[in-house]
Structure formats: structure tokens, C-alpha cells
Amino acid sequence: MEERNDGVDEPGWDVDPDDEISAVVEVVGRQLKLRREAAGFRVADFASAIGYGEDLVRKIERGARIPRPEYLDTVDEVLGAGGLVSVLKKEMREARYPKKIRDLAKMEAQAVELSAYGNHNLHGLLQTREYAQALFEMRRPAYSQDEVERLVAARVARKAIFERSPAPALGFIQEEVTLRRPIGGTMVLRRQLEHLLEVGQLRHVEIQVMPTHRQDHAGMGGEVQVLKFRDGTAVGRSEGDFGSRPVSDPKQLRIMELRCGIIRAQALAPGESLAFIEQVLGET
């Protein structure tokens, strides 16, 4: 029989056996198998009923494949589970994200303050879906379409930080070039600039622009990001420093915070920056 196709050969995502999330995927697969067997379906008959291949059903049930939301919805309907299968979509949606992105999202969800400087492209939390997709699609070596989809979905999910209550203080400093490079084309860039103007109006968000003509610039070493938490701890990462790895050592963090503070002082003020973004939008 012909399998349904949602942009990839098989609807789902492979599981890394070394990833801690693999245990969760195995439990979900076991639940799906028990429900299928309780309903009296053999694998072949069940695959036919839901419109997917037998091999995919077996992979999902043994925890080797992460089921997509539409797969779970179809299974729920065919088995008459009354939503008890569909409810697993949230867990499986999070499971498909790469581990380092899940870890970053957890830290962002706990942070009370974020300071970030970006010089090549807009910070991930500021990106529209279209901008993020164009950014991932231009990577070399090229990502597969499946990888692009997973990365874009993970990036969009992280934007929930803007809706948290109480809201964290979010500060972004962007190089002027990141506002002008037409990632994805002119229309994608225009919508991205409009999005920046919308986000910049939020009371807990400050967006600043570092003009290209600045003579003194403390951020020439590359990107910097610092996340602070309620208990007074923090995690930072600085491109080119400390192996570009996340660090929590107070001495190393002080260097990053100092650099962020100087970059912030050298950039345009938030109000001036929004006016600058609006000007760039008008020129785009």
C-alpha cells in the first residue's frame, strides 16, 4: 500500500538511542501497541486502517520513531480513544527537538533576564518562522527537509518566553547588517522587520541596534548571551571564548556581562533603535 507522505519518506522522526528522551518515546510506543492489540488489530490491518506503512507502525511501537501529531490524531480516531492518544502530541512534539535545543529552551523558560548580542543574523527568539526556515535552508552542508522542519519548530516553540508571566527582562543588541541582509527575500525581511517593531513595543523587551559606522565596538569577538535565574545563578556563552561552550563560572560570567554592558552602551538606545528599524523597513 502507499504510505501517507508529509514531506518526508515516513511521517515521524528518528530517535537517538543515547538521548534521554528515548525512554519517553519507548513508553509512548508501548502504549500505542497495547491500545492496538486491545482493539484486536494486527499490525498489517492497523496500518491499512490508519493509512500508513507497516514498517512505520512497528518503528513507532518499538520506540525507534517519534510519531508526528497527525499520526497520533489518526490513531486516536481509528481506535476510538477519545483523545487519550492525541493528548500525547505535546510530549512527542517536544521529543523531536534536538537535545541541545531542549536544554536551551528549559533554561530560557527559567530565566528572569536574558541579554544577547548578535552579529550574523537575528537572535533566534526574534525570528519569524519564515526567516528561521530560510536561515536553516541555506546552511551548508545542507540540512535535510526533516532536519529543517524540526529546527524551525523548535525555534518557534521557544518564543513562548514572550508570553511568560511574570515576564523576564529580555535585551537584544543586533548589528545593523542583520536588519538589512535579505534572508529569505525582500518580503520575508519586511515581515521580519515589522515583527521586530511589534516585539520592541513590549514593556519587558529592549531591542538595540549597533550601527555599522561605530568606530569603537566591544563585540568584535562575536556573539554573546547571558541568562540569569531567580536564585542568582547565571549561564553565558561567548563566541570564541571558553571554547564557545555554556559556562557558569562567576569569573567567566563577569567577562561576558562586562562585554554585554559595553556593547549596550555603544549601541543606539532602544527608542532610537526602533526608529532606525522603521527607517530600514521603509528602505526595504
Side-chain angles (χ1 to χ4, degrees), residues 233-277:
T233 60
V235 174
R237 188 184 71 82
S238 179
E239 187 177 11
D241 290 331
F242 319 118
S244 297
R245 295 187 299 271
V247 298
S248 55
D249 178 82
K251 292 181 180 179
Q252 297 172 339
L253 285 169
R254 276 199 294 273
I255 293 173
M256 295 183 198
E257 290 185 65
L258 173 65
R259 188 171 301 157
C260 265
I262 296 175
I263 296 172
R264 187 179 300 113
Q266 292 171 332
L268 296 176
E272 293 176 307
S273 295
L274 292 182
F276 188 92
I277 295 172

Side-chain angles (χ1 to χ4, degrees), residues 28-243:
V28 169
R30 196 175 304 121
Q31 290 179 0
L32 295 176
K33 181 179 181 180
L34 290 173
R35 285 187 176 278
R36 171 181 61 77
E37 292 176 339
F41 279 103
R42 295 181 305 165
V43 173
D45 296 333
F46 184 64
S48 178
I50 63 175
Y52 290 102
E54 290 182 46
D55 186 52
L56 176 64
V57 173
R58 295 183 191 279
K59 284 181 179 178
I60 289 176
E61 290 187 350
R62 70 170 183 265
R65 194 82 163 162
I66 303 171
R68 291 176 180 252
E70 57 269 22
Y71 179 93
L72 294 173
D73 283 337
T74 302
V75 170
D76 192 288
E77 182 180 352
V78 171
L79 294 181
L84 295 179
V85 171
S86 291
V87 77
L88 300 172
K89 287 190 293 185
K90 181 179 182 297
E91 289 177 313
M92 293 299 94
R93 189 175 286 115
E94 294 175 355
R96 66 180 176 170
Y97 305 150
K99 185 179 186 304
K100 69 176 184 178
I101 296 179
R102 292 201 310 272
D103 292 343
L104 175 59
K106 287 178 182 178
M107 288 192 292
E108 289 175 344
Q110 297 168 0
V112 295
E113 182 181 336
L114 178 150
S115 298
Y117 160 69
N119 57 355
H120 295 306
N121 48 258
L122 292 166
H123 191 281
L125 292 175
L126 296 175
Q127 295 173 12
T128 63
R129 175 183 288 274
E130 295 75 19
Y131 183 99
Q133 180 164 336
L135 200 60
F136 286 126
E137 287 179 341
M138 68 176 60
R139 293 291 181 91
R140 295 295 183 272
Y143 289 133
S144 68
Q145 192 57 43
D146 189 31
E147 289 174 310
V148 170
E149 182 180 329
R150 294 174 74 174
L151 291 166
V152 170
R155 182 153 291 183
V156 171
R158 286 169 52 206
K159 293 166 75 70
I161 192 172
F162 291 103
E163 302 169 3
R164 275 178 45 200
S165 180
L170 305 175
F172 304 94
I173 310 160
Q174 292 290 155
E175 283 292 330
E176 177 182 340
V177 67
T178 65
L179 308 177
R180 297 187 181 277
R181 182 171 289 126
I183 303 294
T186 301
M187 294 310 297
V188 170
L189 177 59
R190 285 188 59 84
R191 177 63 193 113
Q192 177 63 71
L193 294 173
E194 291 169 350
H195 179 66
L196 291 180
L197 293 172
E198 294 169 5
V199 174
Q201 297 297 327
L202 298 175
R203 294 180 61 188
H204 63 291
V205 177
E206 288 189 345
I207 298 176
Q208 293 181 254
V209 176
M210 175 67 79
T212 301
H213 69 261
R214 282 288 193 264
Q215 181 174 347
D216 293 323
H217 191 342
M220 296 304 290
E223 298 179 350
V224 184
Q225 175 165 300
V226 177
L227 291 165
K228 296 183 179 180
F229 306 103
R230 192 174 302 280
D231 62 1
T233 60
V235 174
R237 188 184 71 82
S238 179
E239 187 177 11
D241 290 331
F242 319 118

